[in-house]
Amino acid sequence: MKNLKYLNYCYVLIGLFYLLAGCKEEKGWTLLEDDQTKPGIVQNTSVTNGYGQATIHYSLPSSQNVLYVKAEYVMANGQTRIVKSSTYKNEILIDGFPDTQKHIVKLYAVNKAEVASDAVDVTVEPKTPIFDLVFGQMKIAPTFGGVRISSINQEKGDVVIVPMVDS
């Protein structure tokens, strides 16, 4: 019985020795790097205008440490909107336009140190938004205990209709 006690203590001491001997400070992997050089600019841009949105296709710069592409544009209410796209894609979707006017979108390539490249200006001219098309086709009729709302969504875009009544 005494031999088993000593054997258990030996196992515990050996385990603690391996635990302490195996511990060393490791540098963890981080997404951010210390490279403060600007990446190259986004190239070969082309635009596909959609209903209230636009898709910008591009080519990434040859820099190996590019993390994502960032697009900045000003909305109709004056707020700046930022959209990001991974380097695994060569396009970025810009949406939320309530009109059909021309808008300037600035594209940046951003590296792993969060350093942005010089801006590339791309002009988008979205088509009439889906909600305007659906609203133009909307018909409202009274029914028993409420209203019936019907419309045609030919472009099959995402639309939410919320009837609100003042009580």
Side-chain angles (χ1 to χ4, degrees), residues 49-54 97 99-103 124-128:
N49 292 312
Y51 294 93
Q53 63 187 14
F97 295 110
D99 52 31
T100 58
Q101 298 175 359
K102 291 184 179 183
H103 298 275
V124 298
E125 191 173 2
K127 299 176 185 175
T128 304

Side-chain angles (χ1 to χ4, degrees), residues 70-88:
K70 175 174 73 171
E72 288 185 1
Y73 58 101
V74 179
M75 299 296 295
N77 61 4
Q79 292 180 338
T80 301
R81 186 165 180 195
I82 298 174
V83 180
K84 297 177 183 177
S85 179
S86 167
T87 56
Y88 297 109

